């Protein structure tokens, strides 16, 4: 077959496929907005019946209202009946069905139909909130690519992300999203990590730096070595955390749900009494008695109260996820604003977790030469302090020396020969304690009091130099602690460092208190002591040794770049180790709790006002319907403000 013929024959198939896709897309949209469409159709039918009630016959009018009842109320009636059968308890949906049927039974077809219409609209609005939260997840899932370009030598092949293994090399071109977590082994670029951290400013990446699935490669091709399977990436953890949070209910929501069943039964009993008692007690006519009983059935329904919490909670969780704060459930989001004290791990949480050289002192005239020798020797060691010195030397662009007879004395230091001379690098005891602390007129004591770790260098003539290193405080730590203290929260640092270092770091951060030389079990003990003094205590950490304390606290907060154990144990995760977002999370929690209180107070006030007005016989059925259902829509809209 010629290429033209193939093209012609494939064209109809392509058109059919595109047509099916459009139909599928249309069907999915109709399904997603089914409740809203049904409510609108119901409203149109009810409006038609009301406008033509003087023109059409009575059976036709009633038929239109019944059609409006069925179309508008089907979804909620189905939900109410299914939940009643499953839970063996009455719910607010059943109460509204009874109210609508009750109104119709005494001839108030229009009011009953309007009740169904507004109830359907409020239900559609609540479903929109749920769908909005689900769309947050769907949009996250859509971000992660399904395919990757795997490279092996000169060969390249496109494979599904699930086929990638740890150690595979993939090529990520400019404009593409990173398919899986890994480390750059070739090239440099800028990445948009907004999907992970919530920060819109691109981050520069080069050899040896981590990249995360779902982030956008902006301006350079890079080769990445895979470090995690596709189902264990940070991106997948975010999705799992948000899904888990959406399904977990807050204490307030659980209380309202328990309260709902009892309340509905009480309302039905009171309505049953109301249908007889006023006639005999107050001399009301039977028509007025039954009419007031039906209005009571409408206005006493706790629709607004039930809708006060869930939309607000889901909106807040979605807002947090979009801004790099992951809540594992509404309960943690609700509890966060009640925190009175927060304990912080030091290394990797308040500090960067990597020591850097802060000061260097050498014998007169030997600075550059000595530093190049020290850097050359420390290249042969894997100790974190040695690596920090090497990085410092590389930044200076120093020459490299050949190193001989390198010996690592565990816990003390190293010895080596360079240019035929013997050198020692390490602790004061290793190079000679008295000489070390006498160097530069006792400078070591001053540096140690500043929380710095000291490394001494000696040769045959004595102390040759001193290098001071420190795990530097994060740039945003002071700002985060200051915001927490302004919020009236007591802060304490828990660290395994010795007293001097702990005191210096705590002072620099602005922490209220500190506890030094803490083992993992000591951190748990300190968190328990805090809980004896404060009702709600938080713990922030990133390491395996922090996990027990995270579990002990009322609210555990893990840094996003922390260990898997810390991430799994914590209740809240701050992506990209962004400490100030703790204060943002507190603000979000406070705002959510405030909106929930507003909703609850407002809904109860409206119910009480409507009930009293009904007993005073100043409320009619239409106003009762509008007042009751209008309050429900208002509390849902108030909760949706948290999406912003």
């Amino acid at each position: 077959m010629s290429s033209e013929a193939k093209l012609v024959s494939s064209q109809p198939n392509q058109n059919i496929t595109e047509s099916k896709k459009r139909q599928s897309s249309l069907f999915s949209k109709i399904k997603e907005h089914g409740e809203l469409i049904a409510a609108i159709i119901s409203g149109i039918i009810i409006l038609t019946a009301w406008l033509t009630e003087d023109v059409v016959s009575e059976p036709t009018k009633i038929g239109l209202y019944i059609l409006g009842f069925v179309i508008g109320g089907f979804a909620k009636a189905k939900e109410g009946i299914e939940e009643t059968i499953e839970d063996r308890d009455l719910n607010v949906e059943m109460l509204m069905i009874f109210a609508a049927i009750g109104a119709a039974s005494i001839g108030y077809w229009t009011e009953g139909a309007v009740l169904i219409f507004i109830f359907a609209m409020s239900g559609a609005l609540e479903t929109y909130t749920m769908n909005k939260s689900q769309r947050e997840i769907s949009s996250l899932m859509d971000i992660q690519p399904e395919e990757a370009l795997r490279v092996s030598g000169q060969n390249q092949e496109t494979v599904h992300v699930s086929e990638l293994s740890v150690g595979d090399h993939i090529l990520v071109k400019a404009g593409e999203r990173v398919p899986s977590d890994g480390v750059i082994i070739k090239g440099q670029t800028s990445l948009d990590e907004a999907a992970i951290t919530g920060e819109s400013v691109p981050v520069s990446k080069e050899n040896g730096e981590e990249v995360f699935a779902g982030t956008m490669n902006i301006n350079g091709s890079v080769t990445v070595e895979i470090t995690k399977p596709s189902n264990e990436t940070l991106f997948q953890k975010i999705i799992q955390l948000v899904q888990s949070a959406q399904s977990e209910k807050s204490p307030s929501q659980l209380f309202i749900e328990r309260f709902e069943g009892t309340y509905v039964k009480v309302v039905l009993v009171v309505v049953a009494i109301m249908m007889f008692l006023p006639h005999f007690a107050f001399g009301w006519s039977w028509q007025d008695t039954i009419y007031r009983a039906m209005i009571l059935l409408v206005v006493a329904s706790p629709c607004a109260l039930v809708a006060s919490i869930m939309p607000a909670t889901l909106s807040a969780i979605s807002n947090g996820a979009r801004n790099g704060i992951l809540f594992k459930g509404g309960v943690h989001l609700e509890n966060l604003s009640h925190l009175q004290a927060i304990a912080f791990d030091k290394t990797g949480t308040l500090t960067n977790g990597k020591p850097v050289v802060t000061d260097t002192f050498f014998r007169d005239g030997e600075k550059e030469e000595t530093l190049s020798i020290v850097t050359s020797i420390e290249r042969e060691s894997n100790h974190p302090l040695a690596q920090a010195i090497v990085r410092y030397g590389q930044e200076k662009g120093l020459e490299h020396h050949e190193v001989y007879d390198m010996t690592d004395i565990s816990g003390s230091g190293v010895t080596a020969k360079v240019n035929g001379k013997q050198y020692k690098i390490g602790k004061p005891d290793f190079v000679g304690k008295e000489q070390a602390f006498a160097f530069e007129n006792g400078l070591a004591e001053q540096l140690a009091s500043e929380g710095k770790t000291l490394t001494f260098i000696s040769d045959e003539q004595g102390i040759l130099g001193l290098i001071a290193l420190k795990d530097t405080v994060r740039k945003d730590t002071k700002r985060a602690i200051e915001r927490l203290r302004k919020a009236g929260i007591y802060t304490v640092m828990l660290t395994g460092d010795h007293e001097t270092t702990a005191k210096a770091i705590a002072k620099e951060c602005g922490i209220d208190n500190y506890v030094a030389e803490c083992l993992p079990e000591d951190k748990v003990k300190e968190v328990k002591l805090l809980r004896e003094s404060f009702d709600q205590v938080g713990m922030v950490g990133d390491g395996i040794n922090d996990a027990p304390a995270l579990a002990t606290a009322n609210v555990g907060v893990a840094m996003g770049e922390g260990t898997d154990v810390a991430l799994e144990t914590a209740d809240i995760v701050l992506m990209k180790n962004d400490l100030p977002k703790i204060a943002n999370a507190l603000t979000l929690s406070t705002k959510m709790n405030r909106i929930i209180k507003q909703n609850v107070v407002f809904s109860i006030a409206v119910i009480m006002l409507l009930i009293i007005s009904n007993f005073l016989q100043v409320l009619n059925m239409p106003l009762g319907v509008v007042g009751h259902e209008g309050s429900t829509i208002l509390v849902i809209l108030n909760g949706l403000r948290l999406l912003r």
Side-chain angles (χ1 to χ4, degrees):
M1 186 183 289
S2 67
S3 60
E4 290 85 353
K6 285 182 180 178
L7 184 63
V8 170
S9 65
S10 66
Q11 194 68 34
N13 291 334
Q14 187 177 346
N15 291 339
I16 291 169
T17 303
E18 289 177 359
S19 176
K20 285 182 177 178
K21 283 182 179 178
R22 284 196 296 270
Q23 289 175 0
S24 175
S25 175
L26 180 62
F27 178 75
S28 63
K29 284 183 179 179
I30 291 173
K31 188 176 180 181
E32 181 181 349
H33 302 291
E35 277 190 59
L36 180 61
I37 293 168
I40 292 170
I41 292 172
S42 170
I44 293 170
I45 293 170
I46 293 165
L47 182 62
T48 303
W50 179 65
L51 291 173
T52 61
E53 63 181 7
D54 295 330
V55 179
V56 300
S57 63
E58 188 71 13
T60 302
K61 182 184 74 173
I62 292 173
L64 286 172
Y65 280 129
I66 290 173
L67 187 61
F69 269 63
V70 172
I71 293 174
F74 177 78
K76 282 295 179 183
K78 181 173 178 285
E79 181 184 332
I81 292 168
E82 286 177 350
E83 287 185 8
T84 298
I85 293 170
E86 184 180 339
D87 302 335
R88 297 181 181 180
D89 203 358
L90 291 170
N91 50 51
V92 70
E93 284 79 13
M94 294 304 295
L95 200 59
M96 294 313 299
I97 293 167
F98 296 150
I101 293 172
S105 68
I106 59 172
Y108 287 88
W109 286 98
T110 305
E111 287 78 2
V114 170
L115 176 63
I116 288 292
F117 167 68
I118 302 178
F119 189 54
M121 286 298 290
S122 65
L125 195 57
E126 200 163 355
T127 301
Y128 166 79
T129 309
M130 295 288 291
N131 290 339
K132 176 73 175 173
S133 296
Q134 291 300 324
R135 279 197 294 273
E136 297 283 348
I137 298 295
S138 299
S139 62
L140 280 176
M141 289 178 171
D142 291 341
I143 285 173
Q144 185 167 9
E146 293 185 0
E147 294 182 332
L149 187 61
R150 185 163 58 190
V151 295
S152 178
Q154 299 299 315
N155 299 323
Q156 296 184 357
E157 60 172 335
T158 301
V159 298
H160 194 273
V161 172
S162 61
E163 296 178 34
L164 294 175
S165 303
V166 174
D168 281 353
H169 293 175
I170 58 171
L171 178 64
V172 185
K173 300 176 183 177
E176 294 180 344
R177 289 193 179 273
V178 179
S180 190
D181 289 6
V183 175
I184 295 176
I185 58 172
K186 181 183 176 184
Q188 59 182 20
T189 186
S190 294
L191 289 173
D192 180 355
E193 296 187 337
I196 299 291
T197 65
E199 297 296 335
S200 57
V201 180
V203 181
S204 297
K205 299 277 185 174
E206 55 187 25
N207 273 6
E209 293 194 275
E210 279 188 299
V211 295
F212 303 105
T215 56
M216 174 63 78
N217 184 15
I218 297 176
N219 57 11
S221 295
V222 289
T223 303
V224 175
E225 182 176 326
I226 302 300
T227 55
K228 289 181 182 177
S230 60
N231 61 342
E232 294 181 12
T233 62
L234 182 60
F235 200 74
Q236 284 298 318
K237 284 179 182 172
I238 292 173
I239 292 172
Q240 290 162 11
L241 287 174
V242 178
Q243 284 175 327
S244 172
Q246 289 178 341
S247 62
E248 187 174 330
K249 296 173 181 175
S250 68
S252 300
Q253 181 68 25
L254 291 171
F255 170 76
I256 290 293
E257 289 183 2
R258 287 195 300 269
F259 167 77
E260 180 186 342
T262 304
Y263 182 86
V264 169
K265 290 172 188 172
V266 170
V267 169
L268 289 174
V269 170
V270 172
V271 168
I273 296 170
M274 183 77 175
M275 293 180 74
F276 301 99
L277 185 63
H279 174 73
F280 297 105
F282 308 117
W284 291 4
S285 67
W286 280 112
Q287 184 178 355
D288 281 347
T289 302
I290 294 172
Y291 179 63
R292 292 296 160 192
M294 290 304 102
I295 294 178
L296 178 64
L297 187 57
V298 171
V299 301
S301 176
C303 296
L305 191 59
V306 170
S308 295
I309 298 168
M310 185 57 79
T313 303
L314 289 175
S315 298
I317 289 172
S318 296
N319 185 323
R322 198 168 56 245
N323 291 286
I325 308 166
L326 302 182
F327 300 96
K328 291 188 179 179
V331 58
H332 312 304
L333 179 55
E334 190 172 304
N335 287 340
L336 190 61
S337 66
H338 304 308
L339 286 186
Q340 297 170 319
I342 298 182
F344 292 89
D345 165 55
K346 179 185 79 74
T347 307
T349 302
L350 297 174
T351 65
N352 289 297
K354 291 181 179 179
V356 295
V357 174
T358 57
D359 306 276
T360 58
F361 300 92
F362 300 99
R363 282 198 306 238
D364 293 340
E366 301 183 46
K367 179 174 181 179
E368 188 169 315
E369 176 66 14
T370 303
L371 186 56
S372 67
I373 291 171
V374 172
T375 302
S376 299
I377 295 172
E378 295 287 38
R379 281 180 196 272
E380 317 246 337
S381 173
N382 288 322
H383 194 281
L385 295 180
Q387 295 303 308
I389 293 171
V390 170
R391 285 194 298 271
Y392 181 76
Q394 287 173 338
E395 289 170 6
K396 299 290 184 183
L398 301 173
E399 65 173 311
H400 178 64
H401 297 270
E402 289 294 327
V403 178
Y404 300 94
D405 301 334
M406 163 75 172
T407 305
D408 192 332
I409 314 299
S410 180
S412 297
V414 297
T415 62
K417 281 185 179 179
V418 176
N419 298 330
K421 288 186 179 181
Q422 185 76 22
Y423 294 91
K424 284 185 175 183
I425 305 173
K427 294 181 176 180
D429 292 338
F430 184 61
V431 299
K433 190 170 184 178
E434 288 186 14
Q435 288 183 317
F437 280 95
F439 180 69
E440 292 285 325
N441 299 317
L443 179 65
E445 286 189 17
Q446 180 191 331
L447 294 172
S449 68
E450 296 172 4
K452 296 174 182 177
T453 302
L454 308 180
T455 295
F456 292 89
I457 306 99
S458 70
D459 59 8
E460 291 94 337
Q461 300 173 35
I463 301 300
L464 181 57
L466 162 62
I467 298 176
L469 304 97
K470 188 178 181 182
D471 183 5
T472 54
V473 172
R474 293 180 182 278
K475 292 180 181 178
D476 51 17
T477 293
K478 295 176 188 176
R479 182 160 53 95
I481 299 301
E482 185 179 350
R483 288 180 65 184
L484 292 173
R485 292 183 68 183
K486 282 183 178 178
I489 296 174
Y490 179 78
T491 56
V492 59
M493 181 181 76
L494 307 178
T495 176
D497 284 339
H498 56 75
E499 178 76 15
T500 306
T501 302
K503 183 178 180 180
I505 295 291
K507 184 178 180 181
E508 186 177 350
C509 294
I511 294 276
D512 290 316
N513 196 8
Y514 67 91
V515 181
E517 299 179 8
C518 281
L519 296 173
E521 55 267 30
D522 296 323
K523 290 185 178 181
V524 172
K525 180 183 174 184
E526 292 299 328
V527 170
K528 286 181 178 178
L529 287 172
L530 281 173
R531 291 190 64 174
E532 290 177 9
S533 304
F534 300 94
D535 292 332
Q536 293 285 325
V537 174
M539 171 69 194
V540 186
D542 71 323
I544 294 173
N545 63 331
D546 298 319
L550 288 171
T552 304
N554 298 99
V555 179
V557 182
M559 307 300 276
E561 294 178 359
T563 62
D564 289 346
V565 175
L567 292 174
E568 288 168 11
T569 306
D571 306 309
I572 300 168
V573 178
L574 302 178
M575 304 313 299
K576 204 60 180 177
N577 291 18
D578 196 347
L579 264 184
K581 283 187 176 174
I582 291 181
N584 294 350
L586 280 165
T587 302
L588 183 62
S589 173
T590 303
K591 189 176 180 182
M592 185 196 79
N593 286 336
R594 185 174 64 248
I595 284 177
I596 287 174
K597 284 177 183 175
Q598 289 171 357
N599 287 347
V600 170
V601 170
F602 174 72
S603 57
I604 291 174
V606 169
I607 289 171
M608 295 304 296
L609 178 64
L610 292 174
I611 289 174
I612 292 168
S613 300
N614 184 42
F615 273 108
L616 295 175
Q617 295 184 299
V618 296
L619 182 72
N620 59 25
M621 180 71 81
L623 280 177
V625 169
V626 172
H628 173 266
E629 291 303 326
S631 65
T632 303
I633 290 174
L634 284 176
V635 299
I636 293 173
L637 290 174
N638 196 33
L640 289 177
R641 288 195 297 129
L642 287 164
L643 284 171
R644 295 202 304 269

